[in-house]
Amino acid sequence: MLCQTIYREGDHRWLAFGQDPDRPDNIVDTNQYVVEAGGDAVLIDPGGIEIFPAMLGALSAKLPIDSIRHIMLSHQDPDIGSSLPLWREVCRDDVQIHISWLWTSFVSHFDGEATLTPVPDPGGEIRLSKTLSLEIVPAHFLHSPGNFHLFDPRAGILFSADVAASLVPRGVRGGLFVEDFSAHIPYMEPWHRRAMGSERARDAWLSRVARLDIRILAPQHGLLLRGDDVKRFYDWFGTLRIGEGIEAVRQE
Amino acid sequence: MASELRMASAEILAGAVRAHLALGKLSELAEDVRILSLNAELAAGRAGEQGRSIRVLTLATRELVRQLTAIADGIATLKTAAYAASAGALRTDLRLRIIERARPHTAGSALPKLEAGASRLAASVVTDLLSAAGCVEGMDKQTQRLSATAMHAGTIATNIAVEAAGAGAHGQEFLVVSRTMRRYAGELRRMAEEARGALARARPAVDALGHVAFAHHTRGVA
Ligand SMILES: [Fe+2]
Ligand SMILES: [Fe+2]
């Protein structure tokens, strides 16, 4: 599993894990993130149970496992957190697991013994160090009806879960970031049209994130967007026809 | 889990499933015995004084029905518990396999934690399998009770036949009851034998599991 530092300032850093060359093709490619500050860390969307070995290997080479104080699950999907019971085997006992209140009893199907911290619909924060608080940003119905993003105001990075996600074939990827936005659209469009359920939800999210100073948009699948591509994404997503339900289903 | 554990667990579950299948018609048969007992009581009532000793025997038949129903319920509960324990072992085993895959990649302070996690999970697999084995042993006890009940049903059938001889005009009616009861007794015996056979085949696995669990325990990981 590849690991890249996408932000570093003193003891504050963001690590992006993904593009595992050994990942079998039948498992969807995912990105996992770690934000570390003041010696404490949050692991964001740790991934599915099948990628746990590679992910733990990559993570344990970068930071002491006990520094993970928080695990955040953006929503309930198996590619987000079916590895949770395994992480709990290796993480400290008091690791806090944040997930929408809507899904606490659903995630218990992966891990019946986990103690979960329910996040209320308006969101909240994860206080990582004395000086750094990460903002849990509501993103309901994009795609999950109980869904959160995570914003780091100092790094200017928004973890955007399945928003801005792309399915880019292995051979096409040059690096971690999108280099040509127009060429990248075909890898995002089918997913957004089908999975994003509501234009009103999209518009609410867009007006919410417009207030944030976002330099990097870090999705759970595919390439990250930075700089002007963040704005390009807002423009593209803002006019995309979504919420069409069955109309977005491919006719074959 | 180690391959020997995996095999033992498969055989234990197979024993529980086969025994349960063999006893699949037990509740139905208990119901048949209940109806036969009711009919015999009615016939005894019609026979008046000549049916008195038969009436005493039908009380024994009622008790038989109660026992059969209790055995059928007990078996069903044990089977469900055996499934639950096996499913728990399988789920934990899946996690254990993934942790074993992670081991060679894991570095630093995560490694001892991973190993401690593996030990904990292995111990939980053994506990679940021992509990499944306990269910199989419980099922075996229930089938022993069933054999005894089948024998008892045979004795009641014989006694009804004896009483039928002295029941005059009603004798024929009681003979039919006796013959039906004998047939039911035979079916109960066959069921019990088949179930015990299935459980006996799981016995080596139950014993092997006991040894593995003991070894596991003495290695200090349980
Ligand atoms: Fe999702
Ligand atoms: Fe996803």
Side-chain angles (χ1 to χ4, degrees), chain A residues 2 6 33 45 69 94 136 139 142 160 165 199 219 235 241:
Chain A
L2 303 184
I6 56 171
Y33 298 92
D45 282 4
R69 295 272 187 171
D94 59 355
I136 302 178
L142 301 172
S160 62
E199 289 191 349
D235 292 344
R241 282 176 57 191

Side-chain angles (χ1 to χ4, degrees), chain B residues 42-119:
Chain B
L42 290 175
R46 281 194 299 274
E49 194 50 34
Q50 283 179 318
R52 197 143 62 101
S53 38
I54 298 284
R55 235 181 342 261
V56 175
L57 285 171
T58 58
L59 288 181
T61 318
R62 268 198 219 174
E63 173 57 19
L64 202 70
V65 173
R66 205 193 52 74
Q67 282 173 13
L68 288 177
T69 312
I71 291 169
D73 289 351
I75 295 271
T77 306
L78 286 165
K79 186 213 69 171
T80 307
Y83 273 34
S86 305
L90 285 175
R91 194 181 53 218
T92 312
D93 181 43
L94 169 71
R95 291 178 186 172
L96 199 52
R97 285 192 213 200
I98 292 190
I99 283 196
E100 267 151 25
R101 259 167 55 198
R103 205 188 297 244
H105 308 284
T106 306
S109 57
L111 189 58
K113 289 227 165 187
L114 194 72
E115 275 162 359
S119 295

Side-chain angles (χ1 to χ4, degrees), chain A residues 50 57 60 66 89-90 110, chain B residues 95 98 101 105 107 113 117 120:
Chain A
E50 284 296 326
S60 64
D66 276 346
E89 288 294 339
V90 294
F110 300 147
Chain B
R95 291 178 186 172
I98 292 190
R101 259 167 55 198
H105 308 284
K113 289 227 165 187
R120 232 180 352 257

Side-chain angles (χ1 to χ4, degrees), chain A residues 115-153:
Chain A
T115 307
L116 303 167
T117 304
V119 182
D121 282 340
E125 59 166 22
I126 294 176
R127 179 156 280 283
L128 202 49
S129 71
K130 282 198 184 73
T131 55
L132 182 66
S133 197
L134 305 175
E135 197 180 316
I136 302 178
V137 181
H140 307 304
F141 300 98
L142 301 172
H143 65 97
S144 165
N147 188 40
F148 291 103
H149 295 170
L150 194 65
F151 179 60
D152 179 337

Side-chain angles (χ1 to χ4, degrees), chain B:
Chain B
M1 77 182 104
S3 62
E4 66 226 277
L5 277 189
R6 216 162 271 145
M7 243 160 69
S9 102
E11 272 163 40
I12 287 166
L13 191 60
V17 170
R18 277 195 227 108
H20 187 252
L21 279 178
L23 300 170
K25 289 222 157 34
L26 182 56
S27 301
E28 209 176 296
L29 202 57
E31 179 63 9
D32 288 344
V33 176
R34 190 182 69 81
I35 290 166
L36 180 67
S37 167
L38 274 179
N39 287 340
E41 269 180 61
L42 290 175
R46 281 194 299 274
E49 194 50 34
Q50 283 179 318
R52 197 143 62 101
S53 38
I54 298 284
R55 235 181 342 261
V56 175
L57 285 171
T58 58
L59 288 181
T61 318
R62 268 198 219 174
E63 173 57 19
L64 202 70
V65 173
R66 205 193 52 74
Q67 282 173 13
L68 288 177
T69 312
I71 291 169
D73 289 351
I75 295 271
T77 306
L78 286 165
K79 186 213 69 171
T80 307
Y83 273 34
S86 305
L90 285 175
R91 194 181 53 218
T92 312
D93 181 43
L94 169 71
R95 291 178 186 172
L96 199 52
R97 285 192 213 200
I98 292 190
I99 283 196
E100 267 151 25
R101 259 167 55 198
R103 205 188 297 244
H105 308 284
T106 306
S109 57
L111 189 58
K113 289 227 165 187
L114 194 72
E115 275 162 359
S119 295
R120 232 180 352 257
L121 293 178
S124 145
V125 169
V126 170
T127 306
D128 277 345
L129 289 181
L130 285 175
S131 141
C135 293
V136 164
E137 282 177 339
M139 284 172 98
D140 197 39
K141 285 208 182 78
Q142 294 282 9
T143 49
Q144 281 176 39
R145 282 180 59 198
L146 184 62
S147 298
T149 310
M151 222 149 83
H152 190 199
T155 311
I156 292 175
T158 306
N159 290 343
I160 292 177
V162 170
E163 297 299 333
H170 296 278
Q172 192 52 36
E173 221 174 338
F174 294 138
L175 264 184
V176 173
V177 170
S178 163
R179 256 183 248 126
T180 314
M181 181 63 97
R182 186 169 304 287
R183 184 157 57 78
Y184 289 165
E187 280 179 42
L188 287 172
R189 203 167 37 241
R190 269 193 300 282
M191 262 183 205
E193 272 163 23
E194 202 183 319
R196 296 206 67 187
L199 294 168
R201 269 181 282 161
R203 166 61 50 191
V206 171
D207 293 342
L209 182 67
H211 292 135
V212 173
F214 181 73
H216 197 82
H217 194 80
T218 47
R219 276 206 306 270
V221 285

